[in-house]
């Protein structure tokens, strides 16, 4: 049996798959700050036999929470003499261009804890000045007096040659073995001094937090007799061992959300859909990502806390390319200074939550609006819903302002929320040169299936797929992942006249490093799969485009094919190509997968039930352009394979509702997924 647990803001989800491919799910309340208790609780609720566990995979928000809530440890930075202010200087391209009051974000390490040491490497990796060990000793003593708990080491051009960083880390461990240390080459071998230093600092900042959490979780699992192989979800769409996660916890910054994206790619592959838009709506946010020909897009241009007003903090590790907006079930509807209706990014969260939760919430939310228009049923909430209170809040805070009915105000809230989500979907599709008509939309999360059919129709997407256990689909995605390590090396060379021996040697070294790392983790060499990419650009450009390269030796012949793909990809992204211009390589990127045995998806049993037998009720539902329509509401768990329903229809399950519009058709496939033809 394979088990995955995913910690969310409100609930901790669990999904398990047995040897027959049957899926089971469970939910339990998240238990901050002792998140491991929630994991044990959900295992208990699921009723699984822990002795049967072969693999345990975990997704966590502990790292991103520690960063955004500033709950890491006191961190010091050691850097090359003359570069202590790289974190402060940051980048000049501020996001809020005309704001004269704009302030750069404060560095995680204050200036008095940023210390310089004499050493110097040039861009080729040649030693210009040796490491000054005596100065290093002074810095360590100073950090001890300041009660520093973690140290980041980031030297100039160490991506090219990390020998001075290695010496520094060894010396720190010799003089002060208790302190947590991160050297920049351990987390990234890409250039960009500011981004590389920022990543190293953030890794050190959360390293003791991550180590403590993983140790506590591991001990709790041992207490319940769990002897399974234990893995943690990373931001790159793969998993890693508990031990490795403690060394580079920054790779877990988007641990939870990316699993659903990867799961969408796997599900699409099973269903014969290579082009997928993955769409996840939770309580606070909506997230989406595009999967082109089965390939999950990964970027190292990731920032936390970046908005249209603040630059945020760069993290230069591979992260699945996600667009995230502050719109979910708990998003608050409000009137701005200009008198316009807005939804989000403020959220009612889990506490007090939407008014419907009855936990003290007073602000109308998307969930409350969906209740008023009949898309959600009061019967499906944990506690009794005071509908009069819900309607009164929408009436007084929204409808009254626009001199309209409560029903129209509720529909207006949904329309604004959908508009916000549509913009996010366009950012990852139309804005990047993709035609949404060539893609299927996989909708998951608590609110994904409720909003997706309307959004798909607006976007021009012909098919929506609502997976089994849609509200805990991210946890299912974890079950289908492989172990993954990314090796990115800055290697700036013009393609014209490139030394292929040097290129192939560097690629070979990356593969050797991957094999060595996997051997330490107990993975056999025959289970390791390689995918190689290069970041290319036209000479004189700033940005790059990632292009796949074949495995094996690179020659002039297959390099020409790579360049042709680069021109095509550049034209798709930026609407032009310069075939006569010289090109250059910036980075080499190796993805090394440790292939893990995965369960096969079981087909849905035909319980022989009829549509009439699955009918819960007929209730009035308000639809845009159609008004109130008496709508059939079905229990998803009672639907048999090949069942077909004509919209308008609502399909309900535990913690999710699928809203199918008039003119749309929904079919239950062989696996139990809901396939919605949008009628576009």
């Amino acid at each position: 049996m394979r088990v995955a647990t995913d910690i969310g803001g409100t609930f901790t989800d669990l999904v398990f798959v047995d040897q027959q491919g049957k899926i089971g799910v469970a939910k339990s309340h998240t238990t901050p700050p002792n998140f491991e208790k929630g994991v044990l609780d959900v295992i208990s609720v699921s009723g699984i036999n822990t002795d049967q566990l072969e693999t345990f995979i975990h997704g966590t928000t502990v790292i991103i929470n520690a960063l955004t809530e500033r709950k890491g440890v006191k961190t010091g930075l050691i850097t090359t003499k003359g570069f202590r202010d790289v974190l402060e200087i940051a980048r000049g391209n501020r996001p809020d261009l005309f704001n004269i009051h704009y302030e750069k974000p404060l560095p995680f390490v204050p200036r008095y804890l940023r210390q310089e040491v004499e050493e110097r490497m040039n861009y080729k990796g040649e030693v210009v000045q040796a490491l000054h060990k005596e100065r290093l000793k002074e810095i360590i003593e100073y950090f001890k007096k300041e009660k520093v708990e973690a140290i980041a080491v980031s030297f100039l051009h160490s991506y090219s040659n990390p020998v001075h960083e290695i010496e520094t880390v060894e010396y720190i461990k010799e003089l002060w073995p208790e302190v947590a240390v991160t050297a920049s080459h351990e987390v990234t071998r890409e250039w960009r001094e500011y981004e590389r230093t920022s990543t190293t600092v953030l890794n050190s900042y959360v390293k003791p937090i991550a180590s403590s959490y993983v140790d506590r979780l591991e001990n709790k699992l041992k207490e319940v007799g769990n002897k399974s192989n234990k893995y943690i979800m990373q931001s790159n769409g793969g998993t890693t061992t508990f031990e490795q996660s403690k060394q580079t916890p920054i790779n877990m910054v988007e641990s939870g959300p990316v699993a659903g994206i990867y799961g969408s790619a796997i599900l699409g592959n099973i269903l014969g859909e290579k082009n997928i838009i993955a769409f996840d709506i939770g309580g606070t946010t909506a997230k989406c990502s595009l999967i082109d020909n089965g390939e999950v897009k990964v970027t190292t241009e990731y920032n936390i806390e970046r908005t249209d007003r603040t630059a945020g903090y760069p993290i230069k590790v591979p992260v699945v390319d996600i667009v995230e907006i502050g719109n979910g079930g708990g998003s608050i509807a409000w009137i701005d200074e200009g008198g316009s209706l807005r939804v989000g990014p403020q959220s009612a969260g889990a506490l007090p939550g939407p008014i419907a939760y009855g936990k003290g919430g007073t602000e109308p939310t998307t969930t409350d609006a969906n209740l008023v228009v009949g898309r959600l049923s009061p019967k499906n909430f944990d506690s009794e819903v005071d509908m009069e209170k819900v309607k009164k809040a929408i009436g007084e805070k929204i409808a009254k302002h626009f001199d309209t009915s409560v029903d129209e105000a509720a529909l207006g809230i949904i329309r604004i929320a959908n508009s916000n989500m549509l913009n996010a979907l366009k950012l990852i599709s139309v804005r990047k040169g993709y035609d949404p008509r060539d893609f299927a939309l996989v909708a998951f999360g608590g609110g994904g299936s409720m909003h997706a059919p309307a959004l798909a129709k607006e976007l021009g997407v012909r098919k929506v797929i609502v997976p089994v256990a849609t509200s805990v689909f991210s946890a299912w995605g974890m079950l289908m992942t492989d172990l993954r390590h990314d090796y990115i090396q800055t290697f700036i060379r013009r393609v014209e006249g490139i030394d292929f021996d040097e290129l192939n040697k560097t690629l070979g070294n990356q593969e050797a490093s991957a094999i060595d790392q996997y051997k330490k983790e107990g993975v056999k060499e025959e289970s390791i799969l390689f995918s190689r990419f290069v970041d290319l650009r036209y000479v004189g450009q700033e940005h790059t485009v990632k292009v796949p390269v074949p495995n094996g030796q690179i020659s002039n012949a297959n390099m020409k094919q790579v360049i042709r793909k680069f021109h095509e990809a550049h034209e798709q992204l930026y609407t032009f190509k310069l075939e006569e211009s010289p090109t250059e390589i910036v980075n080499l990127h190796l993805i090394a997968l440790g292939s893990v045995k995965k369960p096969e998806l079981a087909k849905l049993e035909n319980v022989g039930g009829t549509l009439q037998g699955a009918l819960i009720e007929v209730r009035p539902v308000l639809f845009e352009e159609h008004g109130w329509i008496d709508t059939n509401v079905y229990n998803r768990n009672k639907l048999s394979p090949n069942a077909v329903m004509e919209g308008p229809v609502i399909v309900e399950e535990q913690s999710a509702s699928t809203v199918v519009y008039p003119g749309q058709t929904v079919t239950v496939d062989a696996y139990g997924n809901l396939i919605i033809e949008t009628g576009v």
Side-chain angles (χ1 to χ4, degrees):
M1 185 183 287
R2 285 168 66 89
V3 169
T5 57
D6 179 28
I7 296 176
T10 310
F11 292 102
T12 295
D13 300 335
L14 179 145
V15 175
F16 66 84
V17 177
D18 64 18
Q19 286 182 318
Q20 285 73 46
K22 290 181 181 176
I23 295 174
V25 304
K27 270 182 177 284
S28 170
H29 284 280
T30 296
T31 54
N34 301 313
F35 293 100
E36 67 280 1
K37 182 181 181 299
V39 175
L40 268 288
D41 289 347
V42 79
I43 288 173
S44 175
V45 168
S46 71
I48 58 176
N49 182 352
T50 53
D51 292 335
Q52 291 183 314
L53 290 192
E54 180 186 21
T55 304
F56 176 87
I57 306 170
H58 183 56
T60 178
T61 52
V62 166
I63 302 306
I64 189 70
N65 288 349
L67 291 171
T68 56
E69 295 169 14
R70 302 296 189 272
K71 289 183 178 175
V73 301
K74 192 173 186 179
T75 304
L77 170 66
I78 303 175
T79 189
T80 306
K81 188 173 183 181
F83 288 85
R84 74 189 289 194
D85 293 320
V86 160
L87 282 184
E88 200 99 36
I89 295 166
R91 290 282 171 202
N93 47 338
R94 64 192 200 188
D96 196 7
L97 193 61
F98 299 106
N99 180 2
I100 59 171
H101 301 293
Y102 171 78
E103 291 181 8
K104 286 182 179 176
L106 290 173
F108 274 71
V109 181
R111 196 168 196 269
Y112 77 97
L113 291 178
R114 303 197 299 262
Q115 296 293 309
E116 300 175 342
V117 64
E118 291 85 348
E119 70 81 39
R120 196 60 181 258
M121 199 77 64
N122 68 14
Y123 73 98
K124 295 178 183 177
E126 299 163 343
V127 177
V128 175
Q129 184 176 3
L131 179 66
H132 194 313
K133 286 280 188 78
E134 283 304 309
R135 170 64 184 142
L136 208 51
K137 190 175 179 181
E138 292 171 13
I139 294 170
I140 293 167
E141 290 303 318
Y142 173 71
F143 282 165
K144 281 183 179 179
K145 286 178 188 172
E146 292 293 338
K147 295 184 170 52
V148 162
E149 295 173 67
I151 299 173
V153 181
S154 183
F155 291 151
L156 194 66
H157 300 308
S158 60
Y159 60 84
S160 188
N161 182 357
V163 63
H164 285 171
E165 287 191 351
I166 293 168
E167 283 180 44
T168 301
V169 170
E170 287 174 352
Y171 195 56
I172 292 169
K173 287 180 176 176
E174 184 186 316
L175 296 180
W176 194 7
E178 304 83 21
V179 76
V181 189
T182 304
S184 73
H185 74 275
E186 295 169 349
V187 288
T188 177
R189 293 291 296 272
E190 254 188 280
W191 68 342
R192 310 286 187 203
E193 296 313 312
Y194 166 55
E195 287 82 357
R196 195 161 52 84
T197 304
S198 170
T199 307
T200 311
V201 162
L202 295 179
N203 191 77
S204 285
Y205 182 74
V206 296
K207 196 170 183 178
I209 306 296
S211 188
S212 172
Y213 171 70
V214 172
D215 285 343
R216 292 198 313 271
L217 177 59
E218 193 162 22
N219 290 334
K220 289 286 185 185
L221 291 171
K222 284 176 182 174
E223 285 176 20
V224 295
N226 184 346
K227 298 187 179 77
S228 62
N229 295 318
K230 299 174 186 69
Y231 303 110
I232 280 189
M233 193 71 200
Q234 299 182 108
S235 308
N236 60 11
T239 54
T240 190
T241 61
F242 270 32
E243 194 55 42
Q244 180 60 36
S245 73
K246 292 190 286 187
Q247 301 308 312
T248 52
I250 202 66
N251 285 308
M252 297 190 287
V253 69
E254 287 283 5
S255 175
V258 301
I261 311 300
Y262 190 81
S264 298
I266 297 290
L267 182 63
N269 190 48
I270 292 169
L271 301 181
E273 297 283 351
K274 292 282 190 180
N275 291 343
I276 293 286
I277 295 173
F279 186 48
D280 175 10
I281 303 179
T284 307
T285 59
K287 309 173 190 74
C288 52
S289 186
L290 184 133
I291 297 148
D292 180 20
N293 196 27
E295 181 194 332
V296 176
K297 302 289 183 183
V298 173
T299 178
T300 57
E301 304 295 322
Y302 174 78
N303 292 261
I304 58 165
E305 300 180 16
R306 186 174 194 167
T307 68
D308 57 354
R309 296 293 177 93
T310 61
Y313 301 88
I315 297 179
K316 208 158 187 62
V317 296
V319 178
V320 170
D321 194 5
I322 296 177
V323 170
E324 184 171 344
I325 61 165
N327 262 109
S331 294
I332 292 170
W334 53 287
I335 309 295
D336 68 13
E337 291 175 357
S340 298
L341 175 61
R342 298 289 190 93
V343 180
Q346 302 95 331
S347 173
L351 278 172
I355 298 164
Y357 284 11
K359 295 180 180 177
T362 57
E363 301 299 322
T365 66
T366 311
T367 295
D368 297 312
N370 277 304
L371 259 170
V372 169
V373 300
R375 300 181 187 192
L376 288 175
S377 169
K379 300 170 191 171
N380 293 334
F381 283 72
D382 290 342
S383 56
E384 194 172 334
V385 176
D386 186 341
M387 283 302 296
E388 287 308 310
K389 193 174 181 181
V390 171
K391 289 179 179 179
K392 186 180 178 185
I394 292 177
E396 289 181 354
K397 303 204 172 185
I398 307 296
K400 189 176 179 182
H401 176 81
F402 294 104
D403 192 24
T404 188
S405 68
V406 170
D407 296 345
E408 281 299 319
L411 198 58
I413 292 169
I414 294 167
R415 280 173 168 160
I416 297 294
N418 281 350
S419 176
N420 294 338
M421 294 171 191
L422 188 66
N423 286 336
L425 290 168
K426 285 179 178 176
L427 280 174
I428 54 112
S429 57
V430 180
R431 296 279 187 89
K432 292 193 175 180
Y434 293 98
D435 186 342
R437 291 173 295 185
D438 298 332
F439 291 78
L441 186 69
V442 174
F444 55 99
S449 59
M450 191 154 47
H451 294 267
L455 293 168
K457 192 171 183 178
E458 188 79 19
L459 198 60
V461 173
R462 296 187 178 95
K463 185 187 289 184
V464 176
I465 301 166
V466 182
V468 175
T470 179
S471 65
V472 293
F473 185 69
S474 286
W476 181 85
M478 290 178 203
L479 293 176
M480 311 306 285
T481 55
D482 288 307
L483 289 163
R484 173 168 169 162
H485 294 302
D486 287 72
Y487 301 84
I488 302 174
Q489 171 73 59
T490 292
F491 183 84
I492 301 173
R493 304 286 190 280
R494 285 204 182 195
V495 173
E496 191 177 7
I498 194 169
D499 183 341
F500 284 104
D501 288 339
E502 183 193 22
L503 174 62
N504 286 310
K505 184 181 177 183
T506 307
L507 291 168
N509 289 341
Q510 284 185 315
E511 293 185 3
S513 297
I515 292 167
D516 185 54
Q517 185 161 0
Y518 274 126
K519 278 182 179 176
K520 290 175 185 174
E521 295 174 4
V523 178
K524 294 177 182 176
E525 192 169 336
E526 57 266 28
S527 298
I528 303 172
L529 304 171
F530 293 128
S531 295
R532 303 196 304 194
F533 298 84
V534 289
D535 292 335
L536 284 163
R537 67 183 181 186
Y538 294 117
V539 172
Q541 277 186 329
E542 166 68 9
H543 58 257
T544 62
V545 175
K546 195 174 290 293
V547 182
V549 296
N551 288 339
Q553 294 289 301
I554 303 297
S555 63
N556 193 44
N558 50 25
M559 182 55 86
K560 283 180 180 176
Q561 293 177 337
V562 171
I563 297 303
R564 182 173 51 78
K565 287 178 187 173
F566 163 68
H567 291 312
E568 291 169 0
H570 194 282
E571 185 176 30
Q572 182 182 40
L573 283 168
Y574 302 108
T575 73
F576 71 94
K577 57 183 175 180
L578 306 170
E579 290 181 322
E580 303 305 315
S581 294
T583 55
E584 67 181 351
I585 295 172
V586 175
N587 299 308
L588 307 176
H589 184 178
L590 173 71
I591 298 171
L593 297 176
S595 185
V596 178
K597 185 184 174 186
K598 299 174 204 62
E600 288 189 19
L601 203 58
K603 294 194 174 182
L604 184 66
E605 288 181 22
N606 193 333
V607 293
T610 62
L611 271 180
Q612 195 60 34
L615 186 68
I616 299 171
E617 64 178 347
V618 178
R619 70 169 180 255
V621 178
L622 182 59
F623 288 94
E624 300 93 321
E625 300 171 11
H626 298 279
W628 288 96
I629 305 176
D630 286 337
T631 303
N632 288 349
V633 181
Y634 293 99
N635 182 342
R636 184 171 184 178
N637 297 328
K638 292 184 179 180
L639 293 172
S640 292
N642 302 317
V644 180
M645 293 151 282
E646 297 290 333
V649 160
I650 289 180
V651 182
E652 291 184 345
E653 60 189 292
Q654 185 184 5
S655 65
S657 287
T658 301
V659 178
V660 183
Y661 277 64
Q664 298 181 342
T665 305
V666 57
T667 306
V668 182
D669 76 359
Y671 299 100
N673 303 299
L674 301 179
I675 311 296
I676 301 168
E677 301 291 339
T678 62
V680 174

